[in-house]
């Protein structure tokens, strides 16, 4: 879907009001901010509702849009509060919400149907299928994955039914956004809830930083981005200073306006503002390599500190006024800008007994705009004043305040029905398993009296052999499938169906329609990030009858949603676009690569489709011996993950799980936080 504007929107971050002032002064077309809750940068200063109201007023006076992030996963108990919050955001005139939770999006479409929604990059949209699925949900813009190349961006732009927003500059997550559980599973701070502890920035074995990426900069690719069809170019940085926001936004404003790439001096200026050993454009150019790795050095910090900090003050919007004060009629004041005109009515003047109003005194009082974001010179007031009339100073002040408030206001009338929680039914008693290694699945399934035969669904890699496919009833889709990879995946799905496969484990909204169109039954993977009943209902409406819930849920929180729970397995913590295995261990070590952290914990790594990598937790989660606890929480659907296990270990775990017995190996307990 091609944008209508000549230039893409320049979207700047603001973690504080001063950052917002900096962004507007630097020439941003739009600014995105977070509230005190429900945003993916929980540790930024962020905005309360009063500040957000003032931010809307200021931005709109300067023809700048304001977007608010509500891009964390939402829990059932929070949904009424989030809806109330979003209603206030709509009422004060926020231009769009940036959301990630499908359940929240479902609620917003029902209660606030006119509120524009942008799909956060946390929704894992990286293909035309994903963008079009978002459009079908009423989403007008998709913030696509940072990992997309220029060719992928152009492909999605060409066929997407919604606008695309692309990250232009700033920090890069090493994991595909929305798919990272490292901070949550290892440190107890959920990135999906805005509390990421950034374990990828920490040293691993040998004091190395294999997961720390340089910051993104596409300053040298502005002409290609302009021509690509993207609607918006986004600067990351809600944790950054006002000086950073101003410096980076100002440079990109200039580059866009001049339709050119950055010079060496401009790139150096961007680097001084903030970098991690320079920048990378590896994803965009397709040059995905070790050269993308970088950390924030002492030299980087010194360069940033050398930047002259400055204060940012509001730029007052110049206005004009027409005022009528006539005997026997209500006083009237009209305020004008180039974009907006408002008229307010005040008290009627009386005949003056003494000291009648003079043009000079009226203009002097009405020009005092006080704490507003407006300015009004006395010479820009067109005054119609009857002779011999008087009006109290308080009445003139009230007239001026009413006019200023009306001009600054973007308030909208809204009536919202009371939120009634969606009730979902508990999943039927069912046991499912996903096998990441075809060879071990085939070996375990081929044994006599194999416990695999007792499983209701088995999901094996999509590109498995005919022999393995004949022993399974399901396959799992690769979590990431770019446009250029789709034909290969479709061919594999069609082949799997011919081999008797009926079910497909899907990882994002873009895969559901594809699977249904091929006559297969979609089953929701935990990667759908279902943390509330509304999300589960939304996926059911899309055709996903059964889903595995987010492993970040406690058992009591999972209870009322009614999906499956992971009761065994090393949970995938990351999926990376880069192949760290080949970079750090060599392709011959693909089956035995381990990422070892500074505490000596080992995290197995495994190749995923098209040389992406999966990083798994150091210990498997196990709840198979917690049958009473699972039963008390009405959880009958259970899901197992088999990653590094041998065929013998698979059979042992399945037997123990079926009998409700503990394992004799170290495990991680889950579901109680």
């Amino acid at each position: 879907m091609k944008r209508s504007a000549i230039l893409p929107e320049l979207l700047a971050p603001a973690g504080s009001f001063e950052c917002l002032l900096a962004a507007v002064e630097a020439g941003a077309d739009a600014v995105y901010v977070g509230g005190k809750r429900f945003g993916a940068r929980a540790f930024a200063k962020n905005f309360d509702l009063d500040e957000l109201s003032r931010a809307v007023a200021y931005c709109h006076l300067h023809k700048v849009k304001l977007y608010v992030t509500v891009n964390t996963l939402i829990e059932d108990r929070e949904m009424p509060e989030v809806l109330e919050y979003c209603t206030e955001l709509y009422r004060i005139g926020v231009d769009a919400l940036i959301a990630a939770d499908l359940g929240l999006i479902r609620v917003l479409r029902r209660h606030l149907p006119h509120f524009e929604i942008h799909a956060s990059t946390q929704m894992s949209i990286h293909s035309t299928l994903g963008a079009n699925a978002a459009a079908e949900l009423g989403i007008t813009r998709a913030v696509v994955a940072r990992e997309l190349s220029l060719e992928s961006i152009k492909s999605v732009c060409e066929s997407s039914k919604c606008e695309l927003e692309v990250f232009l500059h700033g920090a890069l997550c090493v994991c595909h956004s929305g798919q990272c559980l490292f901070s949550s599973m290892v440190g107890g701070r959920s990135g999906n809830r805005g509390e990421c502890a950034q374990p990828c920035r920490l040293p691993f074995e040998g004091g190395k930083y294999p997961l720390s990426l340089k910051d993104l900069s596409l300053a040298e690719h502005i002409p290609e981005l302009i021509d690509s069809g993207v609607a918006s170019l986004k600067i990351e940085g809600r944790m950054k200073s006002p000086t950073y926001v101003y410096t980076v936004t100002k440079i990109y404003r200039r580059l866009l306006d001049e339709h050119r790439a950055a010079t060496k001096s401009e790139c150096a200026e961007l680097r001084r503002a903030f970098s991690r050993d320079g920048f990378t454009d590896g994803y965009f150019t397709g040059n995905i390599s070790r050269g993308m790795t970088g950390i924030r050095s002492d030299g980087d910090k010194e360069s940033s500190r050398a930047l002259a900090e400055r204060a940012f003050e509001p730029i007052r919007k110049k206005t004009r006024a027409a005022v009528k004060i006539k005997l026997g009629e209500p006083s009237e004041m009209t305020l004008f800008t180039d974009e907006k005109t408002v008229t307010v009515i005040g008290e009627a003047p009386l005949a003056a007994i003494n000291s009648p109003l003079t043009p000079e005194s009226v203009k002097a009082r009405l020009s005092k705009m006080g704490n507003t974001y407006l300015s009004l010179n006395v010479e820009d007031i067109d005054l119609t004043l009857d002779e011999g009339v008087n009006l109290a100073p308080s009445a003139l002040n009230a007239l001026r305040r009413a006019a200023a408030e009306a001009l600054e206001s973007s308030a909208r009338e809204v009536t919202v029905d009371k939120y009634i929680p969606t009730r979902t039914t508990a999943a039927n008693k069912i046991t499912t398993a996903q096998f990441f290694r075809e060879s071990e699945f085939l070996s375990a399934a081929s044994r006599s009296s194999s416990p695999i035969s007792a499983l209701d669904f088995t999901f094996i890699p999509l590109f498995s052999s005919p022999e393995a496919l004949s022993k399974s009833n399901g396959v799992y889709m690769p979590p990431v499938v770019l446009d250029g990879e789709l034909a290969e995946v479709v061919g594999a799905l069609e082949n799997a169906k011919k081999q008797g496969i009926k079910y497909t484990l899907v990882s994002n909204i873009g895969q559901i329609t594809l699977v249904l169109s091929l006559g297969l039954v979609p089953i929701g993977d935990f990667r759908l990030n279902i943390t509330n009943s509304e999300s589960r209902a939304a996926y059911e409406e899309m055709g996903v009858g059964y889903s595995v819930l987010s492993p970040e849920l406690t058992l009591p929180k999972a209870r009322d949603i009614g999906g499956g729970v992971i009761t065994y397995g090393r949970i995938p913590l990351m999926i990376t676009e880069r192949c760290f295995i080949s970079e750090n261990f060599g392709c011959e070590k693909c089956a035995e690569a381990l990422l070892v952290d500074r505490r000596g914990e080992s995290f197995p790594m495994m190749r995923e489709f098209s040389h992406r990598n999966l990083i798994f937790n150091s210990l498997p989660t196990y709840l198979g011996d917690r049958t009473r606890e699972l039963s008390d929480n009405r959880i009958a659907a259970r899901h197992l993950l088999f990653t590094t296990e041998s065929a013998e270990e698979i059979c042992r775990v399945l037997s123990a799980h079926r009998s409700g017995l503990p394992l004799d190996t170290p495990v991680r307990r889950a579901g109680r936080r």
Side-chain angles (χ1 to χ4, degrees), residues 507-521:
S507 297
N508 57 66
I509 60 173
Q511 297 179 351
I512 299 169
T513 302
L514 171 64
V515 168
L516 287 168
S517 71
L518 295 174
L520 294 162
V521 179

Side-chain angles (χ1 to χ4, degrees), residues 401-470:
R401 283 195 299 268
E405 288 174 5
L407 190 64
E408 289 187 329
S409 175
S410 297
R412 294 179 282 213
E413 293 292 329
V414 58
T415 301
V416 177
D417 295 335
K418 181 181 178 181
Y419 175 69
I420 300 174
T422 291
R423 301 299 180 190
T424 52
T425 57
N428 295 328
K429 186 176 182 180
I430 188 174
T431 304
T432 62
Q434 180 179 1
F435 298 85
F436 286 79
R437 294 196 294 174
E438 175 197 343
S439 59
E440 300 306 321
F441 164 78
L442 195 54
S443 178
S446 299
R447 298 188 176 198
S448 61
S449 302
S450 171
I452 287 179
S453 62
L455 293 168
D456 296 288
F457 298 154
T458 54
F459 302 100
I460 62 174
L462 175 59
F463 294 93
S464 293
S465 66
E467 183 183 4
L469 291 170
S470 70

Side-chain angles (χ1 to χ4, degrees), residues 8 33 58 134 172 180 197 226 244 268 313 327 329 371 381 402 421 425 451 467 501 531 537 600 612 628 633 663:
V33 304
Y58 186 74
L172 282 174
C180 185
I226 292 173
Y244 170 90
E313 298 293 333
L327 186 64
E329 298 178 11
N371 293 325
I381 301 174
T425 57
E467 183 183 4
I501 294 297
T531 58
R612 297 179 181 92
R628 176 64 181 274
N633 286 287
L663 299 178

Side-chain angles (χ1 to χ4, degrees), residues 38 70-76 78-79 82 98-108 117-120 122-123 137 139 192-193 509 528-536 538-539 550 553 561:
F38 311 118
V70 192
N71 57 343
T72 60
L73 298 182
I74 308 300
E75 296 174 356
D76 276 329
E78 298 171 324
M79 199 63 76
V82 181
I98 303 173
D101 188 290
L102 194 60
L104 173 61
I105 292 170
R106 182 175 188 262
V107 170
L108 292 173
I117 298 175
H118 297 172
S120 168
Q122 294 290 113
M123 284 190 72
L137 294 168
I139 291 166
N192 288 325
R193 298 274 290 168
I509 60 173
L528 297 181
N529 290 327
I530 297 175
T531 58
N532 57 69
S533 300
E534 296 282 356
S535 286
R536 186 183 169 210
Y539 281 112
S550 166
L553 289 170
I561 302 174

Side-chain angles (χ1 to χ4, degrees), residues 147-166:
E147 290 81 1
L148 295 192
S149 67
L150 173 60
E151 290 308 308
S152 291
I153 290 169
K154 289 165 67 176
S155 173
V156 181
C157 277
E158 190 66 35
S159 304
S160 172
K161 296 177 183 176
C162 65
E163 295 179 343
L164 293 198
E165 183 172 298
V166 170

